[in-house]
């Protein structure tokens, strides 16, 4: 079995139908039915390779994040799942950006026609000055070009600055469908709603728009090749009412509160949510959690790993899978145990880091370097 290949014997049959394309469909088939077949409906997340390697923002260790170039490379490297973060435009289109502030990941500052759009906002309690997707129509955003977010760490990635536009989620769905046909297996996506309460307050609710696209492209079922994810539990609860696609609740540092909890006056923190009662509550509307790695293995004051928590065991006991985030190859992002040499941007012992996290029993992991993760996962399985 090669990396990325399903363990499910039944899946080939579904995919066999998928690669026939729309020509094989009956005259009465709708576009949604065709898309459903082509996107691999019938393949459960439980059939994904274990541990599952998720290309974080594509292959963002090697290309500017959330570009079609980054997604394509992640898939070509063999990532089992490719991640998108979603924010809306002024005219209601969902586009792929890690946040609505596009100052650091596009060339917007070099566009004099948009100089007056620079503004200061409070988003989820944080004051930010810059340019924001919700102040641009899709046509305007499409005049911008993506660039590397962290050029000081990843100078090589700046080679690709200006090469790609901001993709819409619909473009990604079409790309995934095309690649699915070509490869004879579905392309799995892991789709995050960003700042959902904030955007709902602007009349730009994310969930209904996302659900509409998932339905249109046949990814709205329990066995569709897509995970939905959010740091705001209410966003996943809302998605559960709209579609059946698997859902993952993201968990930040233990002392933090999801922003929807803050807005609703819910006093619970992430520390409450990782207790058995909190996990039971999550399991009532989601299939997994996406904790920060520090919730799996905390670090000491020097940044070295300490003893794993009971979170993996506790979450599994409630039937939840775990997709923690994020491993990156560079020293500066690794636990101190795995840094090598003194250059913060040089690669450390990322294989060592993957190994200790895999040994905790997690089901998958987000990584900027899917090729490293895949080799580490193969080592772990052998
Ligand atoms: O969604 C998983 C991981 O991507 C969460 O962190 O901030 O990179 O979206 P972030
Ligand atoms: Ca994300």
């Amino acid at each position: 079995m090669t990396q990325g290949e399903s363990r499910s014997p039944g899946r080939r049959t579904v995919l066999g139908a998928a690669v026939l394309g729309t020509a094989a469909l009956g005259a009465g088939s709708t576009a949604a039915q065709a898309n459903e077949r082509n996107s691999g409906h019938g393949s459960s997340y439980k059939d994904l390779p274990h541990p599952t390697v998720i290309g974080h923002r594509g292959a963002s260790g090697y290309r500017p994040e959330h570009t079609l170039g980054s997604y394509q490379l992640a898939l070509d490297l063999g990532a089992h799942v490719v991640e998108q973060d979603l924010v809306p435009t002024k005219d209601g289109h969902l586009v792929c950006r890690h946040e609505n502030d596009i100052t650091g990941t596009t060339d917007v500052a070099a566009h004099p026609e948009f100089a007056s759009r620079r503004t200061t906002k409070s988003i989820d309690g944080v004051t930010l000055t810059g340019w924001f997707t919700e102040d641009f129509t899709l046509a305007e955003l499409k005049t911008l070009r993506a660039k590397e977010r962290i050029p000081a760490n990843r100078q090589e990635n700046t080679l690709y600055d200006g090469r790609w536009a901001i993709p819409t989620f619909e473009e990604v769905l079409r790309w995934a469908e095309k690649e699915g046909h070509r490869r004879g297996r579905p392309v799995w996506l892991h789709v995050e709603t960003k700042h959902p309460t904030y955007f709902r307050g602007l009349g730009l609710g994310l969930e209904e728009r996302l659900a509409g696209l998932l339905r249109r492209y046949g990814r709205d079922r329990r066995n569709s090749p897509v995970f939905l994810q959010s740091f705001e539990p209410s966003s996943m609860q809302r998605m559960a009412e709209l579609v059946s696609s698997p859902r993952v609740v993201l968990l930040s540092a233990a002392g933090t509160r999801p922003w929807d909890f803050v807005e609703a006056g819910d006093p619970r923190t992430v520390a409450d949510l990782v207790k058995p009662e909190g996990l039971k509550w999550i399991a009532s509307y989601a299939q997994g959690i996406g904790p920060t790695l520090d919730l799996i293995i905390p670090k000491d004051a020097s940044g070295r790993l300490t003893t794993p928590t009971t979170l993996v065991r506790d979450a599994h006991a409630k039937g939840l899978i775990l997709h923690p985030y994020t491993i990156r190859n560079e020293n500066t992002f690794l636990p101190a145990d795995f840094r090598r040499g003194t250059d913060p941007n040089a690669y450390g012992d990322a294989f060592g880091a993957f190994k200790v996290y895999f040994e905790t029993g997690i089901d998958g992991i987000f990584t900027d370097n899917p090729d490293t993760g895949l080799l580490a996962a193969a080592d772990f399985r052998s």
Side-chain angles (χ1 to χ4, degrees), residues 56-57 66 83-85 98 190-192 194 229 231 250 325 366:
H56 184 239
R57 313 179 194 176
H66 290 313
E83 191 209 20
Q84 291 78 47
D85 295 314
H98 179 258
H190 213 305
V191 185
E192 181 180 350
K194 284 289 184 189
Q229 43 158 338
F231 282 103
L250 299 173
Y325 64 92
F366 288 88

Side-chain angles (χ1 to χ4, degrees), residues 35-339:
N35 286 329
E36 184 175 300
R37 295 180 203 198
N38 296 339
S39 60
H41 172 58
S43 50
S44 165
Y45 67 87
K46 292 175 182 169
D47 299 327
L48 280 166
H50 193 282
T52 305
V53 175
I54 306 158
H56 184 239
R57 313 179 194 176
S60 56
Y62 313 114
R63 298 289 185 273
E65 67 187 40
H66 290 313
T67 58
L68 285 175
S70 184
Y71 299 152
Q72 185 70 53
L73 182 59
L75 199 58
D76 290 346
L77 290 172
H80 304 134
V81 184
V82 183
E83 191 209 20
Q84 291 78 47
D85 295 314
L86 300 185
V87 293
T89 65
K90 183 179 185 177
D91 47 350
H93 295 274
L94 297 181
V95 294
C96 302
R97 291 286 92 192
H98 179 258
E99 63 278 298
N100 48 331
D101 180 354
I102 51 173
T103 311
T105 60
T106 71
D107 63 355
V108 63
H111 283 251
E113 71 275 24
F114 297 136
S116 64
R117 308 271 178 102
R118 188 169 185 267
T119 186
T120 298
K121 302 188 182 208
S122 176
I123 297 160
D124 298 359
V126 178
T127 301
L128 295 169
T129 297
W131 287 265
F132 299 86
T133 59
E134 66 268 27
D135 298 329
F136 291 78
T137 64
L138 179 60
E140 289 171 335
L141 275 185
K142 281 291 188 182
T143 67
L144 307 180
R145 308 301 288 180
K147 66 177 190 178
E148 172 56 39
R149 168 192 294 278
I150 45 175
N153 302 104
R154 292 173 172 164
Q155 187 278 335
E156 291 177 6
N157 294 7
T158 65
L159 177 65
Y160 307 98
D161 283 0
R163 196 170 184 88
W164 294 288
I166 297 175
T168 65
F169 184 53
E170 183 157 22
E171 287 166 347
V172 173
L173 287 164
R174 287 196 204 115
W175 164 80
E177 197 169 283
K178 189 180 82 181
E179 288 292 330
H181 278 301
R182 197 163 73 81
R183 293 161 191 265
R185 61 175 182 267
V187 171
W188 276 79
L189 306 177
H190 213 305
V191 185
E192 181 180 350
T193 57
K194 284 289 184 189
H195 311 297
T197 297
Y198 167 78
F199 286 121
R200 187 160 295 278
L202 299 180
L204 289 169
L206 300 176
E207 291 83 0
E208 294 81 2
R209 289 174 168 83
L210 175 55
L213 286 168
L214 293 171
R215 285 188 206 106
R216 199 172 312 151
Y217 287 85
R219 290 179 184 254
D220 59 325
R221 307 295 177 83
R222 184 172 51 85
N223 286 341
S224 295
V226 64
F227 294 96
L228 309 177
Q229 43 158 338
S230 184
F231 282 103
E232 297 189 24
S234 62
S235 182
M236 290 300 96
Q237 289 176 308
R238 200 180 293 273
M239 289 309 301
E241 292 170 6
L242 296 167
V243 294
S244 302
S245 320
R247 297 166 292 279
V248 171
V249 173
L250 299 173
L251 299 168
S252 192
T256 63
R257 285 165 76 200
W259 186 251
D260 53 341
F261 283 18
V262 174
E263 291 276 341
D266 186 328
R268 288 177 296 171
T269 63
V270 168
D272 296 312
L273 296 182
V274 296
K275 291 175 183 164
E277 197 59 30
L279 294 168
K280 183 180 173 191
W281 176 72
I282 291 172
S284 70
Y285 58 87
Q287 286 67 41
I289 56 172
T292 179
L293 284 165
D294 289 351
L295 291 171
I296 305 286
I297 311 180
K299 297 192 192 83
D300 64 19
S302 66
R304 298 181 76 84
L305 297 179
T306 62
T307 307
T309 66
T310 60
L311 182 56
V312 174
R313 187 185 69 204
D314 295 344
H316 282 164
K318 303 299 180 198
L320 293 165
I321 61 167
L322 296 96
H323 285 173
Y325 64 92
T326 303
I327 290 196
R328 302 172 168 98
N329 283 357
E330 293 90 352
N331 277 321
T332 193
F333 302 118
L334 286 169
D337 320 55
F338 301 105
R339 294 178 192 148

